[in-house]
Amino acid sequence: MTDNKPETAQIFGKGSNQVVWLTIILGLAGVAGAGALLFIIDRGPLHTNQGVYVNQDVPFSHDHHTEGLGLDCRYCHTSVEDSAFAGIPPTATCMNCHKTVWANTEMLEPVRDSWQTGQPLEWNRVNDLPDFVYFNHSIHVSSGVGCESCHGPVNEMPLVYQEHSLQMRWCLECHRSPEDFVRPKDEVFNLDWEPSDEGMSQKELGKKLVAEYGLEPKQNCSTCHR
Amino acid sequence: MFGLLALAALVLVGCRQDMHNQAKFEPYEKSDFFLDGSSARVPPAFTVARDSVDPTSSIYTGEDDNGWMSAVPYVVDEAFLHRGQQRFDIYCSPCHDNTGAGNGMIVQRGFKQPPSYHEQRLRDMPIGYFYNVATNGYGLMSGYKAQVKLQDRWAIAAWVRVLQRSQNVPEGSLSAPDREQLRHDLQNAESSTASAHAAGAP
């Protein structure tokens, strides 16, 4: 009886091997695909907001005020040279000029309201680092890191967008090789500056400046995550 | 594919932002706690900041017993003047322009033209007066004490003096080589103007 086991008692049918291969391949593809999907989402503007224009109640144009009128960044961002925070100007700074220039336009209605009531204007933040990252503007500005290196061509932005991902790997690009980014200290606020203005390539000039300024950007975890 | 999207959605839903947005205020962050909605507070009445200067002292008011101070209460060296130039170009030149004549871009766009620093009335003003205007404003001009620090306002006042001097140097006070250079430049300017006229330019 035990010798005559019928063939139909086989557990696996003829196609079983194919099913197994298909499962393995689709499974691997699924894992890889999910990984790739996460990778793409993580680095893209969906997650980082990179390149996304941010709307404001008052459509303030950096392009107009800097390229058009020639104002220096520091006219409004007064604390950028000696504090962690660059500073958002109080309404009083707007009113230095706008008490008489464009003083009746609808566009500036919220500014005048703020001036009369003392209630600060609300601005929507563009470049927002996570709260577990310590960042200080003054040390970067005084080391020869131009505004443009992080903020992009703000002087040509009617509405501001975030130029870079602000992810850690992006910070480290410069902390690992500052010579690729550093510029002369008196050109930090000049967003039209090019390394060719000094008659050198960025690499040559950068190496010279890194030595001259004694730059040793740290890569310790605790430098930024303190 | 649908399964993948569902998986990604699940993973993303799992992402929380508690660490990104912690229970602390970044500068000027909105607050639900204070009535005005701002986490940034103004100092309480009758208090002064640790590093603030006595607001009745001469260095702050620009005045002493004899009226406007006639000297800058800091050591005025080249670095101080360069600082003054830099701050002047940032905060003052939009209206006063880089020479102090009062033709800055904001004036060109409709702001009332300020007086030129090079008129006799302002040449005769003591330096404390310029410090005071930079601090408290004058007429339509706002005070800049919120935007420019105390020492920098004095540096700006010193730079105004440099500008005034630059436009009004008596020839007799120049050194012989400088005087020679000036004559040379003037002659060149005259001859180039003459040739431009000859060529039909206005």
Side-chain angles (χ1 to χ4, degrees):
Chain A
M1 185 179 162
T2 49
D3 299 349
N4 292 334
K5 196 180 195 177
E7 281 187 32
T8 48
Q10 287 282 2
I11 295 174
F12 297 109
K14 288 190 170 167
S16 299
N17 278 359
Q18 278 169 302
V19 170
V20 168
W21 279 118
L22 217 59
T23 309
I24 291 173
I25 290 166
L26 280 182
L28 285 177
V31 170
L37 202 64
L38 283 177
F39 184 89
I40 291 165
I41 290 172
D42 175 56
R43 293 178 183 226
L46 259 181
H47 179 220
T48 63
N49 291 327
Q50 183 178 2
V52 179
Y53 281 100
V54 177
N55 266 316
Q56 307 286 357
D57 292 345
V58 183
F60 178 86
S61 164
H62 280 79
D63 176 43
H64 167 69
H65 287 86
T66 59
E67 280 297 290
L69 302 176
L71 292 182
D72 190 283
C73 311
R74 291 164 286 185
Y75 187 87
C76 300
H77 302 292
T78 53
S79 60
V80 71
E81 287 171 300
D82 25 47
S83 118
F85 185 55
I88 300 294
T91 305
T93 303
C94 310
M95 296 306 279
N96 284 351
C97 299
H98 288 298
K99 61 187 158 197
T100 69
V101 183
W102 298 109
N104 299 310
T105 50
E106 197 186 328
M107 193 192 279
L108 297 178
E109 186 77 46
V111 181
R112 292 193 296 274
D113 283 352
S114 162
W115 180 240
Q116 274 157 16
T117 60
Q119 180 68 25
L121 285 166
E122 270 184 48
W123 298 100
N124 297 316
R125 186 138 195 189
V126 180
N127 292 276
D128 190 15
L129 285 173
D131 285 0
F132 50 78
V133 180
Y134 173 81
F135 176 82
N136 188 313
H137 272 94
S138 68
I139 184 66
H140 290 87
V141 166
S142 64
S143 303
V145 179
C147 308
E148 193 191 9
S149 299
C150 301
H151 292 292
V154 179
N155 58 330
E156 291 163 9
M157 296 183 191
L159 274 178
V160 177
Y161 58 86
Q162 176 187 318
E163 172 76 2
H164 293 287
S165 74
L166 304 189
Q167 287 178 319
M168 193 169 98
R169 77 173 74 84
W170 171 77
C171 301
L172 283 171
E173 275 176 30
C174 188
H175 274 242
R176 284 182 178 135
S177 41
E179 66 275 7
D180 291 343
F181 303 94
V182 72
R183 61 176 71 192
K185 287 180 185 176
D186 50 6
E187 301 291 355
V188 164
F189 296 95
N190 175 8
L191 280 86
D192 296 321
W193 178 86
E194 300 280 346
S196 56
D197 296 349
E198 320 292 324
M200 282 186 242
S201 71
Q202 174 63 47
K203 203 83 180 174
E204 284 173 309
L205 177 72
K207 280 187 174 148
K208 184 173 146 275
L209 291 178
V210 166
E212 188 181 325
Y213 297 159
L215 302 182
E216 292 174 357
K218 307 280 183 295
Q219 292 160 39
N220 290 333
C221 307
S222 62
T223 304
C224 309
H225 306 293
R226 46 176 75 181
Chain B
M1 197 58 213
F2 178 77
L4 278 183
L5 280 178
L7 179 70
L10 270 178
V11 171
L12 286 177
V13 165
C15 289
R16 296 174 54 174
Q17 297 291 310
D18 298 4
M19 294 293 281
H20 287 68
N21 299 314
Q22 296 168 11
K24 66 178 182 186
F25 291 121
E26 293 178 307
Y28 295 164
E29 193 167 316
K30 200 177 160 91
S31 159
D32 296 330
F33 182 78
F34 294 107
L35 277 179
D36 64 1
S38 170
S39 65
R41 313 308 304 159
V42 291
F46 308 112
T47 60
V48 288
R50 272 179 68 99
D51 54 355
S52 61
V53 174
D54 175 3
T56 61
S57 61
S58 291
I59 201 172
Y60 192 86
T61 61
E63 282 180 286
D64 56 20
D65 297 340
N66 306 318
W68 298 123
M69 285 167 75
S70 55
V72 176
Y74 293 92
V75 177
V76 179
D77 54 13
E78 203 181 336
F80 189 81
L81 292 179
H82 275 305
R83 176 79 181 175
Q85 177 183 25
Q86 188 198 43
R87 297 293 118 173
F88 182 91
D89 288 351
I90 297 171
Y91 297 103
C92 313
S93 73
C95 288
H96 290 280
D97 81 51
N98 292 23
T99 69
N103 294 317
M105 184 57 94
I106 307 302
V107 172
Q108 293 172 39
R109 298 295 171 93
F111 203 89
K112 185 173 181 285
Q113 184 170 31
S116 163
Y117 297 149
H118 311 299
E119 49 181 66
Q120 197 57 45
R121 178 180 69 87
L122 291 178
R123 278 186 187 138
D124 295 340
M125 279 292 182
I127 199 159
Y129 172 79
F130 296 100
Y131 162 81
N132 175 64
V133 173
T135 305
N136 299 312
Y138 184 90
L140 268 184
M141 175 187 155
S142 310
Y144 275 73
K145 58 175 178 278
Q147 276 162 277
V148 188
K149 288 182 189 164
L150 178 79
Q151 185 173 344
D152 287 341
R153 298 198 297 274
W154 279 108
I156 285 173
W159 183 252
V160 170
R161 274 283 183 265
V162 173
L163 290 176
Q164 288 178 328
R165 175 85 177 157
S166 76
Q167 305 291 311
N168 187 36
V169 182
E171 199 184 332
S173 70
L174 290 175
S175 65
D178 282 349
R179 209 156 35 215
E180 192 52 44
Q181 180 70 41
L182 181 67
R183 292 231 173 84
H184 184 72
D185 289 350
L186 273 176
Q187 266 170 12
N188 275 356
E190 273 164 20
S191 63
S192 69
T193 321
S195 60
H197 278 298

